[in-house]
Amino acid sequence: MDKFTVLKEYFGHKDFRNGQAEMIDNILNGCDVLGIMPTGAGKSLCYQVPAIMMSGITIVISPLISLMKDQVSSLVSAGVSAACINSSLTSDEYSETMHRICCGEYKLVYIAPERLGTQEMDRLVSSVDISMITIDEAHCVSQWGQDFRPSYLHISEFISSLPHRPVISVFTATATDTVRDDMIRLLGLNEPFTMITGFDRPNLRFSVIKPQNKYAELKKLLGGFGDKCGIIYCLSRKNVEEICEKLNDDGFSATRYHAGLGDAERRANQDDFIYDRKQIMVATNAFGMGIDKSDVSFVIHYNMPKNIESYYQEAGRAGRDGSPAECILLYGPKDVRTNNFMIEKSREENSDLSAEEKETMLERDRMRLRDMTFYATTAGCLREFMLRYFGEKAPSYCGNCSNCINGFEEADITVDAQKIVSCVYRIKQKGRYFGKNMVIDVLRGSSNERLLSLGFDKLSTYGIMSDVSVYTLRAELDFLITNGYLDFTGDEFPVVELTPLSAKILKERINIKMKLPKKPQKSRKNKEQEFPADEKLFEKLRGLRSRLASEANVPAYIVFSDAALRDMCRLRPVDREGFLNVSGVGTHKADKYGEEFCRLISEYIEEEKE
Ligand code: ADP
Ligand code: ZN
């Protein structure tokens, strides 16, 4: 099978995304690879496709149990044999899995880093053929990364202990240059082929809101999201408790997650969210790493996080399946103080660092917080700000962030300025000056009585700006006054007057520019992102998916992503062949689910005819 066949057969996709094919080809050629790709870019496929194609097994080292479980269920539901080894297995399950691995039953085996170097592991690796070692969340190996894990430091030792060195593929979503160098060095990569794809996630809409009352704003936002699911991040456990309780009192379906809860409750709450029994997860940043739920429609930050890295990672948990999603930051100046306090407090904690190292770390944290605050308060494009922060070039207008949508832009108002000033001039020729409203009324061609009785409708400037909104016209007039091109004086009834500078506009025709609210522009959309053409059918498909998922005891998105359901709405397949054309449908899923989905769609089409 070639890589395209594997892609279609098992994963149901027609094309590779940016970077995937190159990564796969290099792995198959035996070259180590390093992929720095944002969340949702499709890193998993980069190693899963070659893992299926290679003769031996692939060992995937992954830091979190929930992440492994999710990946394994996804693979199994796509018809790929996979398993995981971690501390959540009972000893019977453990021996059983080990036995099957030795019999070569699995193509992919996920392992927690702590397991490497145990005796069983040593025995195991000497008896099976390992084609590849994959290291997920590889930035954990670096002390400069966000989530340093000492156990990652033993990986290279483990690799050198293998009888043959397999090809090594390494992935992460975030890596500065320092972290990248650390990964290459500490994981012992051999001149890796490196793929860095852009950080941009066009389907995410970024917004910053500065509400008077955060909770009221939150409720308003949630009201607008209907039954979609999402995450609310808070800075403190106390905040999580409070908001979760209030939301439940207010009739929302919310659960909570933070490090202060017992293991059992955390797991139960997380499952409630993943299996769609609860719609909203209120959590501290302890929640999320390893959460692969692909249909999260919104991530709201109730407080500003401590740096842009964390923000982008947490917000990026929205819209992983490529559907449009919202990332909203509720900003209050108090958040800066809270973060500062937490940064100072962390000084006491890191006990294994020298005083000097601590001071450097602290200074870095303060700088990161400053950048985060700039993000929350900038008037420019939020996407541009973020991408530049990560060292990428980006246009200054994305059309899909709150600043681009509501923001201001520099507009050339030379012609408007000429019209306004000449209107004031014409009015003056009639004998005297008038207030702002009269100027605006004349320019817009109003037919108010006073204007008509003065004969201003006969002025040559009457109605020449009827296509400009009152709001804009007033803003332009005010701009000319503030900048001295016109004057506005008089005690009781101030009037608009000409100034010496007015001539510059009329005679010299100088260029005038000012910041004006942007004209409403359609936000960027792609075919996949559009709302399902047929919401009724979409709901029915969702219903079927949810039944099948609960029968199989897996989260709904493991059966099909929202993007796949949307594609079904668009294509309306009624037979296996048509069903295979749906994005996200491979042979295994077509066999398993095709009949039921096609039946539902045919019935729907019949109903529609009637
Ligand atoms: P990452 O690990 O980079 O965060 P994932 O591997 O979880 O991303 O993939 C994110 C989503 O993108 C998944 O829902 C996956 O099915 C989808 N995806 C990945 N590759 C493709 C592709 N080539 N075509 C369509 N969808 C894809
Ligand atoms: Zn923007």
Side-chain angles (χ1 to χ4, degrees):
M1 258 200 253
D2 68 5
K3 62 177 186 283
F4 289 101
T5 318
V6 171
L7 180 71
K8 184 64 208 151
E9 278 278 313
Y10 290 99
F11 302 97
H13 302 310
K14 289 186 199 75
D15 304 302
F16 286 105
R17 286 194 185 152
N18 192 9
Q20 287 176 331
E22 291 93 323
M23 292 291 277
I24 294 168
D25 290 342
N26 274 284
I27 291 175
L28 293 173
N29 285 333
C31 180
D32 288 355
V33 299
L34 165 60
I36 305 176
M37 301 157 102
T39 312
K43 287 186 283 296
S44 324
L45 273 188
C46 296
Y47 63 85
Q48 288 169 349
V49 169
I52 294 168
M53 295 166 71
M54 290 188 292
S55 61
I57 71 165
T58 288
I59 291 188
V60 185
I61 300 167
S62 171
L64 289 160
I65 296 179
S66 54
L67 188 82
M68 295 184 201
K69 266 170 51 186
D70 215 73
Q71 293 276 358
V72 170
S73 349
S74 264
L75 284 169
V76 170
S77 89
V80 183
S81 56
C84 56
I85 297 179
N86 57 47
S87 57
S88 79
L89 300 183
T90 62
S91 66
D92 282 353
E93 285 169 337
Y94 181 75
S95 345
E96 172 78 19
T97 312
M98 282 299 213
H99 176 70
R100 288 174 172 229
I101 294 174
C102 292
C103 299
E105 282 189 29
Y106 301 118
K107 289 265 53 156
L108 291 109
V109 177
Y110 286 74
I111 293 179
E114 294 77 17
R115 289 273 150 181
L116 303 173
T118 56
Q119 271 185 359
E120 300 105 306
M121 224 35 222
D122 288 347
R123 254 206 315 280
L124 184 134
V125 297
S126 58
S127 58
V128 291
D129 167 24
I130 300 175
S131 300
M132 171 162 65
I133 306 274
T134 294
I135 301 151
D136 205 4
E137 311 284 356
H139 63 281
C140 290
V141 79
S142 168
Q143 302 210 32
W144 301 110
Q146 288 290 296
D147 333 88
F148 171 58
R149 290 187 155 235
S151 56
Y152 265 61
L153 292 173
H154 303 304
I155 294 176
S156 76
E157 219 173 292
F158 165 74
I159 293 172
S160 4
S161 76
L162 299 176
H164 305 283
R165 185 183 185 277
V167 64
I168 299 175
S169 56
V170 166
F171 298 89
T172 178
T174 65
T176 58
D177 287 349
T178 331
V179 174
R180 182 175 8 160
D181 295 344
D182 272 3
M183 289 191 297
I184 295 177
R185 191 168 50 89
L186 298 169
L187 296 170
L189 300 185
N190 191 357
E191 295 179 20
F193 168 79
T194 304
M195 172 60 71
I196 306 178
T197 60
F199 273 82
D200 191 18
R201 305 265 314 274
N203 62 316
L204 300 186
R205 168 174 296 171
F206 291 96
S207 312
V208 176
I209 305 178
K210 302 172 182 100
Q212 291 291 339
N213 176 333
K214 281 195 182 179
Y215 186 73
E217 183 68 35
L218 178 67
K219 260 176 45 179
K220 201 172 89 193
L221 289 169
L222 293 177
F225 287 132
D227 59 359
K228 294 184 177 150
C229 69
I231 308 172
I232 299 169
Y233 278 110
C234 302
L235 272 182
S236 70
R237 299 175 189 182
K238 192 170 136 259
N239 252 342
V240 168
E241 296 286 335
E242 254 173 48
I243 307 235
C244 183
E245 192 177 322
K246 273 199 205 163
L247 286 177
N248 279 306
D249 289 348
D250 283 330
F252 291 99
S253 153
T255 183
R256 58 191 182 156
Y257 191 105
H258 60 69
L261 301 173
D263 269 1
E265 180 176 358
R266 270 197 311 215
R267 195 164 323 131
N269 293 355
Q270 175 173 318
D271 281 353
D272 279 347
F273 179 63
I274 288 176
Y275 287 83
D276 297 328
R277 293 187 288 264
K278 294 280 171 151
Q279 184 199 336
I280 299 166
M281 172 56 88
V282 189
T284 60
N285 61 5
F287 177 76
M289 193 171 160
I291 302 300
D292 250 344
K293 190 170 167 60
S294 68
D295 60 350
V296 174
S297 294
F298 59 89
V299 172
I300 298 176
H301 279 76
Y302 198 79
N303 303 107
M304 181 179 79
K306 64 178 188 294
N307 56 42
I308 292 183
E309 286 89 344
S310 316
Y311 182 66
Y312 203 60
Q313 194 170 45
E314 287 157 20
R317 299 200 169 110
R320 294 181 68 137
D321 65 0
S323 306
E326 302 270 351
C327 306
I328 303 171
L329 169 61
L330 302 183
Y331 171 75
K334 204 175 147 227
D335 297 337
V336 182
R337 288 198 295 278
T338 315
N339 274 302
N340 254 322
F341 175 75
M342 289 165 86
I343 288 175
E344 296 308 324
K345 218 180 84 185
S346 72
R347 179 203 292 268
E348 284 115 56
E349 282 159 14
N350 264 319
S351 53
D352 44 352
L353 295 178
S354 75
E356 203 177 325
E357 281 173 328
K358 261 186 203 173
E359 201 34 60
T360 327
M361 296 275 247
L362 275 175
E363 197 38 50
R364 231 176 252 150
D365 286 347
R366 290 190 201 110
M367 286 226 322
R368 287 179 177 159
L369 175 60
R370 262 200 298 279
D371 286 328
M372 184 72 231
T373 315
F374 286 145
Y375 171 84
T377 51
T378 178
C381 173
L382 296 173
R383 190 181 308 274
E384 183 204 9
F385 189 98
M386 211 125 54
L387 293 176
R388 284 186 186 269
Y389 181 82
F390 291 118
E392 266 181 47
K393 288 204 181 74
S396 60
Y397 180 83
C398 79
N400 198 21
C401 78
S402 58
N403 285 351
C404 282
I405 293 166
N406 315 318
F408 288 71
E409 72 184 344
E410 184 124 288
D412 185 338
I413 62 155
T414 307
V415 175
D416 282 3
Q418 288 164 5
K419 291 177 180 170
I420 294 169
V421 174
S422 77
C423 183
V424 177
Y425 179 71
R426 298 285 168 205
I427 291 175
K428 186 205 158 202
Q429 282 186 323
K430 285 278 189 175
R432 60 188 178 108
Y433 289 114
F434 285 86
K436 287 188 200 173
N437 286 339
M438 182 57 86
V439 178
I440 291 169
D441 282 350
V442 172
L443 284 164
R444 289 189 29 93
S446 148
S447 48
N448 83 51
E449 252 173 73
R450 179 126 186 281
L451 184 156
L452 297 178
S453 73
L454 287 161
F456 285 177
D457 55 332
K458 306 285 179 329
L459 295 177
S460 59
T461 50
Y462 179 74
I464 55 172
M465 291 181 79
S466 55
D467 56 341
V468 180
S469 72
V470 179
Y471 179 87
T472 305
L473 188 43
R474 186 175 287 278
E476 292 175 347
L477 179 57
D478 286 339
F479 177 84
L480 294 175
I481 292 167
T482 349
N483 288 280
Y485 296 107
L486 289 171
D487 205 356
F488 187 57
T489 48
D491 290 337
E492 210 176 333
F493 301 105
V495 293
V496 183
E497 293 183 15
L498 297 170
T499 70
L501 279 183
S502 306
K504 281 200 179 286
I505 289 185
L506 289 184
K507 301 219 174 79
E508 293 175 30
R509 296 170 183 272
I510 53 164
N511 261 321
I512 308 277
K513 287 203 170 107
M514 71 175 283
K515 294 266 184 204
L516 268 182
K518 267 177 188 141
K519 297 210 172 63
Q521 237 161 338
K522 281 225 157 117
S523 57
R524 281 198 309 196
K525 274 189 176 172
N526 61 35
K527 188 182 80 225
E528 228 182 318
Q529 286 187 29
E530 271 160 26
F531 208 67
D534 190 337
E535 228 189 317
K536 245 172 83 184
L537 178 55
F538 187 71
E539 281 311 312
K540 286 189 183 232
L541 295 171
R542 251 172 65 136
L544 176 56
R545 175 180 69 175
S546 135
R547 179 169 67 74
L548 294 170
S550 65
E551 279 169 16
N553 198 23
V554 293
Y557 64 88
I558 296 277
V559 175
F560 284 122
S561 69
D562 278 2
L565 297 191
R566 221 172 273 126
D567 211 34
M568 289 180 206
C569 288
R570 200 169 58 83
L571 298 176
R572 297 187 163 202
V574 291
D575 53 23
R576 189 173 190 277
E577 200 185 331
F579 200 64
L580 276 167
N581 279 324
V582 173
S583 157
V585 176
T587 320
H588 190 75
K589 288 198 180 178
D591 291 343
K592 204 158 162 191
Y593 303 121
E595 215 178 294
E596 284 196 78
F597 277 90
C598 288
R599 188 172 335 115
L600 185 148
I601 294 168
S602 325
E603 282 169 11
Y604 182 80
I605 295 173
E606 283 307 310
E607 270 171 41
E608 219 178 26
K609 279 191 197 139
E610 287 160 21

